[in-house]
Structures are given as structure tokens and as C-alpha cells.
Amino acid sequence: MRTRLTRRLLAVLALAALMGAGRPAEAADPRPNVVVILADDVALMDFGAYGGEARTPNIDALAGRGALFTQFRASPLCSPSRAMLLTGMDAHLTGIATIPEVLPDTQRGQPGYGMALEPGVLTLADRLRAQGYRTVMAGKWHMGEAADEMPQAHGFDRSFALAASGADNWDDRSYMPYYKDAPWFEDGVEASLPEDFYSSRFIVDTAIAYLAETDPAKPFFAYLPFQAVHIPVQAPQQFIDRYKGRYDQGWEVLRRARHQKAQALGLIPQGAPLAALPPDFRAWDSLSAKDRALYAARMEVNAAMLEAMDFHIGRLIAHLKAKGKYDNTIFIVSSDNGPEPSRGDDNAALSLFHRLTGYDIAPEAMGGPGSWGFIGPEWAAAAATPGAWFKFYATEGGIRVPLIMAGPGIAAQRVTSPAMVTDIAPTVLDWLEIDPQASAGKPITGRSLRPVLTGEAASAYRADEVRAVEVSGNSALYLGDYKITRSVPPVGDGQWRLYDLAHDPGETSDLSARAPDVKARLLAAYDDYARRAGVLPMPQGYDSTAQVNRNSIARLLANYPWLYGVLVGMLLVFAAVIWLAVGLVRALLRRRRTAQ
């Protein structure tokens, strides 16, 4: 694939040079370019600039010359975060309140739960293209599955988009039973991938090619939502080799190390308690030596995948420098949610899918083509430190993630005031001096962070203003230093808890009994938010993992109809065996009675 794409890129660049030869260059638009880089399932402390173990020099350089945010929150799941980032609106108002994989039947098709951007919802690409920007994207979309729901219908001139929640990073295939294949679309048309595909390299190559194919006289908006480090965790061997032995001491050691580093870096107060652990957390020493080696290797691939992404981001930066575009480009780097806790070795439906598709979770294939890598809940909880828990939940480990902004006019600084994923779009528009009302569409609900970045304001939010997020029952609301949060099964119990994040950022001590009036005030504020946003209640007994299994099995049977016959045959055989066994028992009993 790389050879084909490289030839295409060289041809495009040569044609552009040929077309520009012999005639005066058009005056370039002086407005800044915008590059939004979204990592997948990356924890607050995963990047080097935030204290992580992975080598991310290019992202770290952006953080060093720009704004590094320490109190930024996304949503606990990917699609809602992506919708909020691109639109500046609460996810429920966009039509993407959750992800289809966890959607219960009672919410399917309801307003806010259509699983695609609704009419009147405008993206940054819509708004910037209307102002003369060229707009390109390459990577994970996950905001609709139909061709007419892809990026070309939402403001992008060129796009190569993955409609699914994830896909293989080496091959053109699905990663879970919910999807039969990897649904990639180029400009709204189903597309296949080159033969030597690797996701991070391909995303950057495609973005560079699209920038070469569009009008160079116009400023550009480029959106690069990477697959790193979403399941399946995969990386080139040369990156994996750099982390051999790095995680051999286990997840408790990493958890304590990140907690100490978070204090040293000022991400949490000195002396703050270590974050709460999720239930059923396995002790590292309880694993066999073989399993400890296996899990350490899985975390090595995770770090390698991060470094590989950063390496290819560096290629994009080098390209922009060579074209003279770098100094006039605003870069925004973030993550959609906290680290992924799912395992690949404890689910019968997933194991069946692995057998059907040829995936391997054995150590021999770790990280390479055909492997299905994961880190599991213990590594995820350790990586999410100093926050509690991980992706899916509105605990700090699930929604407190990195945010970096760098570019013309943005001074090197650390931003400690609160910010939400809905604030990115209005900040970009404000920085470019574009009135959101210049484009017809539903109103933006986020806040511009420009006054904070320029020093005009200490915070985009007043002390008495609430910030809230909800995805499939997992909820959080912030008011000043206080936070209430609710986590649904299987890890949570559906109960609201109250925390003082100024002293307890790891959510270890529930203050509900000690401060009932504060909790009541925050619960009333949450009810008001839910009414305004259109949050639907969850069905009685809702369990997100059980729902994923139900939805995946239904899709698996639809994707592989012959499995119905196999299952029916197995049931018939089982029934026949039972019938024969019952008959045999009865015959033996009759014979015994006759003998007596």
C-alpha cells in the first residue's frame, strides 16, 4: 500500500509543481491553518509531555511551545466526544448521544440517539469551508454508518473515513463481531486499503496527498483522528523493541509511579490519595509467570503504538515546515476518552469471532499483522492514574484527558482552569474571528477558550456554572471543586457519589453522607441539564457489557447467516442427546423394576 500511496503522492506533487511553473503564484490567504489531531483511548499521562513512558517528541514539542491543559474533560466514549469536538455542541443535541455498540432498543431512533449527525448540526468543516477554507480528513469517523452520513456530507472537501468504532491497523478487516468488515469510505464511496497499510502512516500520507490536491492558495482545516491506541493494539516491530522490559514490574508499580509523577508535575495536589480501583482488580503477583510476561508485552505494544503515531505526526509537521505552512498553523492534540479496559480472552462471542477471522492473541504474533492486542482493565486503570477507572465511565480516568493547543498567537503556558471537549470548536472559530452565527445551524453550546489563552480571563467558566456529561447512564456534573458521578454496571452500581476534586482528584472518598445539601444541589443541576440536553433514561438493569454482547451477537448472526444453521443443528443434536439420555434412563428404571 505504501508504494502505491507514495507513487500517488509524488504524482500529485509533481502535477502541482508543473501547473504552477511559468506563472506568478497566487497570493496566499494569511489566515491560520488548523490541524486537529485526535488520539483514541489515550490517557491523561500517556504523552511524554504529561509524564508518560512512550516517546512522543513531536507532540511534546507542540506542548512545549503552546498551551498544555491539565483540567480538560471529554466524554467517556468515542463517538460522543468526536461529535462534541467537531460541533461544539452537547452530544445529545448532535444525534450521537452514545455509540451504537452499547445502544439499547428503547433508545434506538429517538431524538439525539440516531447515531449520526442530525440535520442542522454543523461541524467545524462546514463552518470553515463556508469561510473559504479547504477541508480534509483521514482516519476514524464513527458518526454514522451510511455513505450519506460520512464526512463529505458534513463539510469536508476530501475524506478517507472509517465508519466503525475501530478496525485492524494492518489489514482491511473488522476487529469485533459487531462489524463484518472495516467500512472505509473515500469521499462517501466505499473504498479498499492498500496492501501494506498501517493506520498511522496511512492517515498522514492521505492527509498530505489531499492537501497537495486542494487549492494551496486557501488556508486549510485538517482533521486527523488516529486509531492509536484503540483495540486491536498493534505496532511495527521496530517501535515495540524499544519498550522491552519496560512494564515487567506490573500494573501496581506503574500506577504508583504515575501517581507520584502526577504530583511532581502538578497534575494533582501533593499528598492527594491514590485513585480508587475498579472492582475485581487482579493483583499482578496473582498471575502466572507466563501471563505476567504476556501482559507486560501487551503494554509494550501499547507504548509502541503511541510512539508510531507520534512518529507519523512528525512527518506531517516536517511536510508543513517544508511547505512554509508550519508557523501559520494552529495544532490541537487531544484524546476522545480514557484507556480501553476490554479484554480479548474472556468473551465467548469474541473468541468465536477470532476463530472465524483468523485473529491471534498469542504472544508470538504480538503487535503484528493478524494479532488482536489489548491491555485489559488493570493496565487501563494504571494508565488512567491519577484518575479513577477508565473508558466507558465518567470517572476521572474515563474523561480527564490531554489537550494541547499550539500555533500563532498561543504563548507557551499551562492552563489549569476547566475546559470541555465542546469548547474546542468555538475556540477555533473565535481565534479565526469567525462568528458562529455566520452559518445557519443549531447553536453551539461550548465556550471559547481564547480569553484564557490570551490571559484576558482566568477561566471560561464562572465558579457557579456547571459542566456536565452523560453517555449511556454514565454521568458526571462539575460545580466548582465538587463533582457528582454515576457509573452503571458491570463495573458501577448506578448510584450517585459526591467528591471534592480539589482534595480528592482520584475519587476515593464519597462525601454524600457528609454533604447532603451539596449533593442535592448538584443532582438538581444534573436533572436540569438532562432535560435541556434530552438525556433519555437507561432501561432497568442496563449493563453496558451485556448490551455490547447482545448487539454484537445479533450483528454476528446477521453477518454470518450460516451460523444460524450451525446453532440450530447444535441445539437439535443437544435435544436429541437429552431425549436419548432420558429414554435410556427410563428403560434402565423399567428394567430394574422388572428385575425386582
Side-chain angles (χ1 to χ4, degrees):
M1 155 196 151
R2 189 176 186 186
T3 301
R4 290 167 52 191
L5 189 58
T6 301
R7 281 201 296 261
R8 174 189 174 192
L9 180 57
L10 290 174
V12 168
L13 295 173
L15 179 61
L18 183 62
M19 292 175 63
R23 60 186 175 89
E26 298 180 46
D29 191 316
R31 292 178 295 176
N33 308 300
V34 180
V35 173
V36 173
I37 294 168
L38 187 65
D40 203 324
D41 298 350
V42 166
L44 173 68
M45 294 186 68
D46 274 348
F47 295 145
Y50 285 86
E53 304 80 38
R55 298 174 180 86
T56 55
N58 296 293
I59 292 173
D60 298 348
L62 293 174
R65 72 179 185 90
L68 184 147
F69 289 74
T70 64
Q71 297 295 334
F72 175 72
R73 269 79 179 184
S75 91
L77 278 178
C78 48
S79 297
S81 290
R82 292 159 199 275
M84 290 192 283
L85 184 154
L86 284 177
T87 67
M89 301 167 60
D90 184 273
H92 303 81
L93 303 177
T94 70
I96 306 179
T98 184
I99 64 174
E101 291 87 342
V102 303
L103 185 69
D105 290 339
T106 56
Q107 295 178 346
R108 203 174 302 277
Q110 297 297 315
Y113 293 77
M115 301 297 97
L117 295 175
E118 294 177 349
V121 174
L122 300 182
T123 67
L124 259 179
D126 286 313
R127 297 179 186 277
L128 294 182
R129 185 164 70 173
Q131 298 296 316
Y133 274 71
R134 47 189 168 129
T135 55
V136 303
M137 77 84 63
K140 175 176 162 180
W141 180 248
H142 201 206
M143 293 190 290
E145 294 187 42
D148 60 0
E149 296 168 344
M150 293 299 107
Q152 85 289 340
H154 297 287
F156 286 96
D157 297 323
R158 299 301 317 275
S159 61
F160 207 112
L162 175 65
S165 57
D168 196 279
N169 295 283
W170 291 109
D171 298 309
D172 196 349
R173 62 170 166 173
S174 170
Y175 81 106
M176 67 176 293
Y178 190 84
Y179 301 99
K180 185 176 183 179
D181 52 23
W184 287 94
F185 292 81
E186 184 167 31
D187 301 330
V189 178
E190 287 190 53
S192 59
L193 300 174
E195 293 177 2
D196 62 345
F197 171 81
Y198 181 70
S199 63
S200 292
R201 182 180 63 219
F202 176 78
I203 286 168
V204 168
D205 283 349
T206 304
I208 291 173
Y210 286 165
L211 291 176
E213 292 170 4
T214 51
D215 187 352
K218 293 181 177 181
F220 64 82
F221 169 56
Y223 175 46
L224 283 74
F226 285 84
Q227 290 175 235
V229 288
H230 193 282
I231 285 174
V233 181
Q234 300 164 317
Q237 191 63 46
Q238 66 265 34
F239 294 106
I240 298 173
D241 290 342
R242 298 174 187 176
Y243 297 94
K244 291 299 180 184
R246 180 63 182 81
Y247 298 98
D248 285 356
Q249 292 180 295
W251 38 65
E252 287 107 345
V253 171
L254 177 66
R255 183 168 165 261
R256 291 192 296 269
R258 285 203 175 188
H259 179 250
Q260 291 296 324
K261 186 167 284 188
Q263 294 176 77
L265 294 175
L267 298 176
I268 58 173
Q270 288 291 333
L274 190 60
L277 285 172
D280 302 321
F281 188 97
R282 294 175 296 176
W284 181 254
D285 289 342
S286 72
L287 273 61
S288 67
K290 179 180 177 181
D291 282 344
R292 288 197 297 270
L294 187 60
Y295 270 93
R298 286 172 175 149
M299 198 62 176
E300 290 166 6
V301 178
N302 189 78
M305 194 175 184
L306 271 172
E307 183 177 350
M309 178 186 71
D310 181 84
F311 171 81
H312 291 291
I313 290 171
R315 291 177 48 241
L316 174 66
I317 289 173
H319 171 78
L320 295 178
K321 287 180 176 179
K323 294 293 181 182
K325 303 287 187 182
Y326 175 78
D327 291 335
N328 196 35
T329 298
I330 297 169
F331 291 88
I332 298 170
V333 183
S334 190
S335 173
D336 57 352
N337 44 246
E340 167 70 67
S342 300
R343 290 170 58 181
D345 57 358
D346 64 346
N347 184 293
L350 187 57
S351 295
L352 174 60
F353 173 76
H354 287 166
R355 286 194 290 272
L356 290 171
T357 56
Y359 271 121
D360 193 349
I361 62 171
E364 293 76 20
M366 189 76 68
S371 67
W372 201 93
F374 63 93
I375 62 171
E378 292 84 9
W379 278 129
T385 307
W389 298 17
F390 30 58
K391 176 182 175 179
F392 292 103
Y393 300 98
T395 52
E396 291 297 274
I399 62 177
R400 187 182 177 192
V401 294
L403 173 65
I404 295 164
M405 292 187 177
I410 301 176
Q413 59 190 291
R414 173 174 291 211
V415 179
T416 59
S417 59
M420 302 294 287
V421 66
T422 46
D423 300 336
I424 291 176
T427 300
V428 170
L429 294 174
D430 191 13
W431 206 266
L432 300 178
E433 299 182 346
I434 297 173
D435 184 354
Q437 296 181 350
S439 300
K442 294 182 179 180
I444 285 175
T445 60
R447 303 293 180 81
S448 171
L449 301 172
R450 182 178 181 179
V452 177
L453 292 170
T454 59
E456 299 170 33
S459 174
Y461 293 87
R462 298 193 311 271
D464 61 349
E465 285 187 295
V466 300
R467 294 163 286 126
V469 64
E470 188 275 348
V471 176
S472 293
N474 293 299
S475 316
L477 180 135
Y478 299 85
L479 178 61
D481 291 334
Y482 287 108
K483 174 190 178 182
I484 52 170
T485 186
R486 174 182 61 190
S487 301
V488 303
V491 178
D493 58 10
Q495 301 300 308
W496 285 101
R497 290 175 171 80
L498 172 68
Y499 299 104
D500 177 2
L501 295 186
H503 301 93
D504 184 21
E507 298 168 304
T508 65
S509 179
D510 179 13
L511 302 178
S512 296
R514 282 178 276 172
D517 293 344
V518 174
K519 184 177 182 180
R521 182 154 52 100
L522 268 65
L523 286 173
Y526 179 83
D527 289 341
D528 181 59
Y529 156 76
R531 282 191 298 271
R532 287 185 286 106
V535 177
L536 295 180
M538 303 310 297
Q540 186 69 28
Y542 176 82
D543 179 311
S544 59
T545 298
Q547 190 66 55
V548 169
N549 289 336
R550 282 194 293 270
N551 291 348
S552 294
I553 290 171
R555 281 283 191 107
L556 182 67
L557 293 174
N559 292 338
Y560 301 95
W562 56 268
L563 280 174
Y564 277 112
V566 172
L567 292 174
V568 169
M570 291 173 63
L571 288 173
L572 289 174
V573 169
F574 180 74
V577 170
I578 295 296
W579 182 77
L580 289 171
V582 170
L584 180 61
V585 170
R586 286 176 175 172
L588 290 172
L589 290 174
R590 282 196 300 269
R591 186 176 300 174
R592 181 176 296 178
R593 284 195 295 268
T594 301
Q596 293 174 347

